[in-house]
Amino acid sequence: MHWKPARPPASCYFAHERAVSTTLTAEFDALVDREWDRLANAGTWWTGAERVAIADEARRAHLGAPTTGGLPDAATEAARRVSVEASTIRQVDIDRWADDGLDPFAYVELVSVVSRLAAIDVTGFGLGFDERPLPDPQPGEPSRTRPDDAVVSDGWVPTVGPAWAPGSLSAVPDEVEAMFDVHGVLYLSLEQMGDNEIVRDGIHRTQIELTAARTSWLNDCFY
Amino acid sequence: MLRASIKTIEGSELICPTITSGLGNCGVAKGDVIRAFADAVALRDDDEYPDCRVRAEFALGRVGADGIAMGAGNFSILNCALAAIGAPIDDRLESIAAELGTAIPAHLRRRS
């Protein structure tokens, strides 16, 4: 395990139980291994060093810590806003960041990196672990490829098809794949999503969806 | 999805306003414990977490509590991503939002 207990346990019961790895914590640890590998390496629009810097800014924003200044201003602001106040972002912000040099396709990748980091950090907290230190960046250059059919349709950024949940990051296909990897471990696979009676790890679908509804409401999310 | 899934359980009925108010039985088994634990996790609340975690483990088992933690983490991802790209929300969902005691923000509303 790369994680360590985060905080004093509430009881001896909890301390004893948490010391034991479960199937789910093992799956989660493997997921973080994969996610850290993705984070450390060049993506479609950012180098590994830039992706790690984006994640660092996101974590700093959550802690209220100042910026490192390691990214261009627009990327720094975007990473911090997505991390702590995504619901306040508007089209004018994305346009302003684009005017300052943040390509909308690069913005989509930034959103993806910060979003998955949020999922990993929130889950790690819930499992009782500290945040894993960010990975060391690996060399490599981004491919900077754009899907021919990615256009701005009904959202604020280019997408392939409508800007709904499955297509939200479709302007950067590798990020879609990464997102579904996370969903499959933390929520349900695409196949499982169609089963309203599924019981996963002793939790019925209604209980999973109650968690979803409550979390979304807490985050000012309406989706 | 919550409403669709609860319909699969005979005799169960969803009480929507309690999801957002945090008060009362929402109709989901162990719903009060899940709601409290999801809050502690999603908000990364160090003060509330220990007790909520223990209550969740007693109610759902250790693996079950881990599953709720993962669900809270997963929906943080969607919240960030969809809000940040301006994914529109069909105004036909306005009635569901009203049931929850909220409303779809104007900047995300799409006329159907």
Side-chain angles (χ1 to χ4, degrees):
Chain A
M1 296 286 286
H2 299 272
W3 301 75
K4 60 183 180 182
R7 58 196 70 83
S11 66
C12 292
Y13 164 79
F14 179 56
H16 170 72
E17 295 296 301
R18 184 67 290 162
V20 179
S21 176
T22 67
T23 304
L24 288 186
T25 55
E27 283 181 30
F28 177 68
D29 212 40
L31 170 66
V32 181
D33 285 343
R34 295 194 297 277
E35 183 55 32
W36 259 221
D37 185 56
R38 287 189 285 256
L39 182 59
N41 284 281
T44 305
W45 291 93
W46 303 95
T47 65
E50 289 167 334
R51 285 165 66 90
V52 173
I54 288 166
D56 188 36
E57 285 296 345
R59 276 191 171 171
R60 285 173 170 275
H62 180 72
L63 295 170
T67 175
T68 63
L71 290 167
D73 289 348
T76 298
E77 183 187 344
R80 296 178 74 92
R81 290 277 299 277
V82 174
S83 175
V84 295
E85 48 182 10
S87 64
T88 71
I89 293 172
R90 301 289 183 270
Q91 174 82 65
V92 292
D93 296 308
I94 297 171
D95 292 344
R96 177 168 53 82
W97 293 329
D99 290 342
D100 290 341
L102 179 57
D103 186 291
F105 285 81
Y107 172 71
V108 170
E109 184 172 321
L110 179 150
V111 167
S112 180
V113 166
V114 175
S115 300
R116 288 201 311 281
L117 180 73
I120 295 292
D121 284 350
V122 167
T123 302
F125 179 94
L127 295 176
F129 301 124
D130 270 345
E131 291 174 348
R132 188 194 289 196
L134 295 173
D136 293 327
Q138 300 300 307
E141 291 300 317
S143 61
R144 295 181 181 274
T145 53
R146 301 172 193 254
D148 292 338
D149 46 352
V151 295
V152 177
S153 55
D154 52 353
W156 298 335
V157 301
T159 52
V160 178
W164 60 315
S168 57
L169 305 172
S170 52
V172 188
D174 285 350
E175 300 301 313
V176 177
E177 192 175 321
M179 190 72 88
F180 277 104
D181 183 23
V182 175
H183 288 326
V185 174
L186 301 187
Y187 177 50
L188 298 167
S189 68
L190 268 176
E191 284 181 359
Q192 291 171 323
M193 286 181 203
D195 183 353
N196 287 326
E197 298 180 78
I198 191 170
V199 177
R200 186 184 177 188
D201 307 309
I203 302 295
H204 189 276
R205 182 70 183 267
T206 57
Q207 296 171 310
I208 297 172
E209 295 303 331
L210 173 61
T211 305
R214 184 70 182 178
T215 303
S216 297
W217 179 74
L218 290 171
N219 287 323
D220 291 328
C221 176
F222 297 85
Y223 297 96
Chain B
M1 297 306 298
L2 177 54
R3 175 159 283 150
S5 61
I6 205 167
K7 282 180 178 172
T8 68
I9 302 173
E10 190 175 345
S12 294
E13 184 181 347
L14 182 65
I15 304 166
C16 262
T18 64
I19 296 170
T20 48
S21 72
L23 301 171
N25 178 8
C26 63
V28 176
K30 313 290 185 188
D32 55 340
V33 174
I34 292 170
R35 206 168 44 200
F37 187 48
D39 284 11
V41 174
L43 299 173
R44 292 186 249 184
D45 187 330
D46 277 317
D47 295 330
E48 295 293 331
Y49 175 84
D51 286 343
C52 291
R53 171 81 204 191
V54 169
R55 288 203 296 138
E57 287 197 12
F58 276 119
L60 305 164
R62 189 180 63 226
V63 175
D66 284 349
I68 297 301
M70 288 179 160
N74 184 74
F75 282 88
S76 299
I77 206 176
L78 282 176
N79 297 343
C80 283
L82 293 170
I85 69 147
I89 301 171
D90 198 308
D91 63 6
R92 286 176 295 189
L93 297 178
E94 190 66 69
S95 61
I96 294 176
E99 276 189 79
L100 291 166
T102 185
I104 298 172
H107 70 279
L108 294 175
R109 194 174 297 139
R110 175 178 59 190
R111 295 191 186 284
S112 52

